Every structure is written in C-alpha cells, then in structure tokens.
Amino acid sequence: MSIQYAILGLLSEGPLSGYDLKKIISESETLYWSGNNNQIYRPLVKLFEEGLVTKQVERQEDLPDRKIYQITAAGEEALKAWLLSTPPAPDLKHELLIRLMWADHLEPDELADLIDRYEADIQTYLLMHQEKQKRDGAQDTSRRGTLSRLIHENWIGFYRHELDWIKHLREELNSHS
Amino acid sequence: MSIQYAILGLLSEGPLSGYDLKKIISESETLYWSGNNNQIYRPLVKLFEEGLVTKQVERQEDLPDRKIYQITAAGEEALKAWLLSTPPAPDLKHELLIRLMWADHLEPDELADLIDRYEADIQTYLLMHQEKQKRDGAQDTSRRGTLSRLIHENWIGFYRHELDWIKHLREELNSHS
DNA sequence: TTTCTCATGTAACGCGTTACATGATTAC
DNA sequence: GTAATCATGTAACGCGTTACATGAGAAA
C-alpha cells in the first residue's frame, strides 16, 4: 500500500498542508512511514493531478506560502473504495527470527546478549505505545475513540506477545545447554 | 535489511546455485522476500565482487550451466558480524489498523464484513504455519531444531494474538452499537 | 497440449530512504 | 550561537516488485 490513501484519510478529516501531513505521519506509529518530504510532496502532486484533492495557496508574510489541500468528492470515493477492499495480511519483517536461523554460528553467551539487547528495545516500544495510549484519551467513549483504543491495544498486545515469547525462548535455550 | 545476509546465511550451510537460493527463499515464510530472479542474481554478483562468495560453473548437457556459489572466509566474517548486530525491532505493516483509523466512513455492516474477510485470511495463514511446523520435524531435539521450533512458535503466536484481538474488536464494536 | 521444473538473466517501475537546498523566526 | 519550527521542494540511491526473455525435458 502506498502512502496516498493515508494522505486521503487524513484529508477526509479536514484540509491540511503538506507540512501538516508530514508531521502527523511521522509522529504516528500506526502510519508507519518516515514522513519525509519526498514521500509527502510527490504523492500530493499526483493526487492533485488525479483530481482527488484540490490545492489552495495561502500567502504568508516572511514565511513560504502554505498550500492547503482539500479532498474532493472523487477523493472521498477513492478513499471509501480502498477502505472497503480486503486488507492484506499483516506484513511482519522480523529480523531477529532471521538471525536465529543461523544462531548456531554464535556462542551461547553471544546469543544471550543479542536477545537481551533485543528485549530491551521491545520493552521501550511497549512503553512508548502505552504512553501514547494514555495521552490519546483512553476514556473517549465514542466509536472513534473506541477504534483508536483498539488500534493501540493491537500494538500493545503485539509487543507483550513478543516479550512473552522472548521469555520462553530463553527458557528453552537454557534448558538445552 | 537487504536479502544479501539471508543469502550468506543459506550459503553458510553449503554451496548452492542461484536457482536453489531462489526456491528456498520463496518457500520460506520467515525469509519474507518474494525470491524473484532479480532479487537473487543481482545480489549474488555483488557478493561475488565483494569477495564474500566464490563461483564455480558446472556444465550440464541440454540444460543451462549451473553456477554454484560458495561462501568465503570473508563472507563468514560478514555473516557473523551481522548476526552479532542488534536486530531492529520488528517492522509490522498492518493495513487493517490503518483502515480502522477512518472506519467511521463505513457502515457497521460494511466494517463487520471487512473484519470477517480479514479474519478468514489470518486463519489461513495460521494453518499454513501450523502445517509447516508439523512438517519441519517438531521432534528434532538438537539446538538447531529447537531454534527452528521457536521461530515457528513466534509466527503462530502472532497469528493467534491477531485472532484473539479480532474477537475482542468485534465485541467492543457490537457493545457500542 | 499445456503446464511444471530446471536454469539463467534483463528491463522497467514503484515506493521508500537519506541527504541536500533555501530562508526567516523563535527559543534555549 | 545553536537548534528547532515553519514551509517548500529536489537529487540520488536502495531495494523490492512484476513482467519479459530463452529454451530444453518431463509430467499431467
């Protein structure tokens, strides 16, 4: 999936500039893109050419012009069609698992070290998501709020599963040596 | 991570041709690449130029020559250095979650449909991994076998978690309408 | 007769990444 | 004085994808 539908989705909530989009995307964990310039401005030109968004230039004194993008009816249609399409299965790239395939090249303590470092990273990510969950109004009871909470819960559950599995991994490896 | 370390890893178990590598990679779930030609033959040339593998041409009658690649000492070093480097956190691209961000554009039954279709796909993937787990000698008690089992368990746990979360998602959405 | 396996490779494209580039304002 | 924020964009590169190309033998 390209970033363009995420842009359409964000614009469906209201007009935004490229700069705004860039910030939102780079700060979101679920929208996994880096949110670099090329990834925003290029697709916006394409969306504009396809008539899915309109552009409005806002002059500013002493600052570059702001180009405010707004979704069109065609854009909303494209967004809805995408929303209705079956999402592909999650695409998980798990480098630790790949390294484990050849872990017999490592000494037991080298492997244990690797796992420790990995676990620390996962713990950090878990904390990040838990904090975000708290900040993002966990007590919002609207349908919107419920969905947002459920999205965060998926991430938190994912990292918890990973930590549980690491524990299991360690036990198995220890009982083996 | 590029595919080249996976290639080095596979070659560390013994010499293989590009065609062999292609088959192994495309049939592996953990090695998530498509295993298309361009993804194998191009990196092999690069690995050869860098002196991480050697090439040996095997003539065949009525069939194209086989080019057998073998890992060098430098290749083994590069592989080990990579194995020791801290793996990045898992990179999960979860399009259902992205769609859920704008699920208020959908009717409740459209959303329910989407979730059903998604669940069916996840169930298929879970079954695939469980079958592979069975075939890949679950009773191998060597360190190698243990690691292989643990890798599969990670995947199976991931899909199980996803299915549990879908159940939870449905309940929350139902109790909401 | 069509498809699969063996065995190699090339071409074109999509999408994402980092780094480069400008330039004023504000905060530490 | 250094960095961050606002605001736009370009250039070059990495890596992955599908499709194209050849050509023989074996199996369905």
Side-chain angles (χ1 to χ4, degrees):
Chain A
M1 170 211 169
S2 66
I3 202 173
Q4 62 168 316
Y5 290 109
I7 293 176
L8 281 181
L10 291 170
L11 291 179
S12 76
E13 296 164 28
L16 291 168
S17 71
Y19 189 77
D20 296 330
L21 286 163
K22 175 187 154 155
K23 273 189 67 182
I24 295 169
I25 289 172
S26 61
E27 280 163 19
S28 161
E29 270 114 28
T30 307
L31 304 176
Y32 47 76
W33 298 274
S34 72
N36 69 75
N37 295 347
N38 230 332
Q39 207 160 39
I40 305 296
Y41 294 114
R42 215 196 293 173
L44 274 174
V45 169
K46 213 186 152 206
L47 288 171
F48 180 72
E49 284 169 358
E50 288 168 353
L52 305 183
V53 301
T54 55
K55 192 175 16 179
Q56 199 179 319
V57 181
E58 210 179 68
R59 292 246 168 84
Q60 293 190 127
E61 284 172 27
D62 299 328
L63 273 179
D65 294 350
R66 271 166 62 86
K67 295 186 182 169
I68 312 291
Y69 294 89
Q70 200 158 356
I71 195 167
T72 63
E76 303 231 29
E77 254 176 69
L79 175 61
K80 174 133 195 203
W82 173 72
L83 285 172
L84 285 171
S85 67
T86 307
D91 172 11
L92 176 57
K93 299 194 174 159
H94 202 315
E95 284 203 27
L96 175 65
L97 297 187
I98 299 182
R99 280 176 176 70
L100 287 184
M101 289 180 78
W102 299 290
D104 33 346
H105 292 276
L106 299 179
E107 301 297 321
D109 59 314
E110 288 176 327
L111 178 55
D113 248 46
L114 195 72
I115 293 168
D116 288 349
R117 266 147 43 210
Y118 180 73
E119 186 185 36
D121 285 352
I122 299 295
Q123 223 129 28
T124 306
Y125 278 96
L126 175 58
L127 278 172
M128 267 171 48
H129 273 93
Q130 283 173 331
E131 297 250 328
K132 196 135 200 174
Q133 171 79 300
K134 267 184 231 162
R135 266 177 291 139
D136 284 15
Q139 61 282 352
D140 181 351
T141 54
S142 68
R143 192 175 130 111
R144 261 269 70 172
T146 305
L147 281 165
S148 164
R149 207 170 345 100
L150 285 161
I151 291 169
H152 275 120
E153 277 170 18
N154 184 286
W155 284 105
I156 289 168
F158 169 71
Y159 288 114
R160 285 231 179 89
H161 165 253
E162 199 65 14
L163 290 174
D164 286 345
W165 173 80
I166 291 168
K167 232 187 251 176
H168 177 54
L169 172 68
R170 263 206 210 93
E171 285 161 13
E172 289 282 312
L173 288 174
N174 285 339
S175 78
H176 212 268
S177 58
Chain B
M1 169 211 170
S2 67
I3 201 172
Q4 63 169 315
Y5 290 108
I7 292 176
L8 281 180
L10 291 170
L11 290 180
S12 76
E13 297 164 28
L16 292 168
S17 71
Y19 189 78
D20 296 330
L21 286 163
K22 175 187 155 154
K23 272 190 68 182
I24 294 169
I25 289 172
S26 61
E27 279 163 21
S28 161
E29 271 113 27
T30 306
L31 304 177
Y32 46 77
W33 298 273
S34 71
N36 69 76
N37 294 349
N38 230 332
Q39 206 160 39
I40 305 296
Y41 295 113
R42 214 197 293 174
L44 275 175
V45 170
K46 213 186 151 205
L47 287 171
F48 180 72
E49 285 170 357
E50 288 168 352
L52 305 183
V53 300
T54 55
K55 191 173 19 176
Q56 199 178 321
V57 180
E58 210 178 70
R59 291 247 168 84
Q60 294 190 128
E61 283 173 29
D62 298 329
L63 271 178
D65 294 351
R66 273 167 60 86
K67 294 187 181 168
I68 312 291
Y69 293 89
Q70 198 158 357
I71 195 166
T72 63
E76 304 231 30
E77 253 176 68
L79 174 62
K80 173 133 195 205
W82 172 72
L83 285 172
L84 285 172
S85 66
T86 309
D91 172 11
L92 176 57
K93 299 193 175 161
H94 202 314
E95 284 203 28
L96 176 65
L97 297 187
I98 300 182
R99 280 176 176 70
L100 286 185
M101 289 180 78
W102 299 289
D104 32 347
H105 291 277
L106 299 179
E107 301 297 320
D109 59 313
E110 287 176 328
L111 178 54
D113 248 46
L114 195 72
I115 294 168
D116 287 350
R117 267 149 38 213
Y118 180 74
E119 187 186 35
D121 285 353
I122 299 296
Q123 223 129 30
T124 307
Y125 279 96
L126 174 60
L127 278 172
M128 267 171 49
H129 272 94
Q130 284 173 331
E131 297 251 328
K132 195 132 201 177
Q133 171 78 299
K134 265 184 232 162
R135 266 177 293 139
D136 283 17
Q139 60 283 349
D140 181 350
T141 56
S142 69
R143 192 176 129 111
R144 261 263 102 144
T146 305
L147 281 165
S148 163
R149 209 173 340 102
L150 284 160
I151 291 169
H152 276 120
E153 277 170 19
N154 184 285
W155 284 105
I156 290 168
F158 169 71
Y159 289 115
R160 285 231 178 89
H161 164 255
E162 199 65 14
L163 290 174
D164 287 344
W165 173 79
I166 291 167
K167 235 187 247 176
H168 177 55
L169 171 68
R170 263 206 209 94
E171 285 162 13
E172 289 281 312
L173 288 174
N174 286 339
S175 78
H176 211 269
S177 58

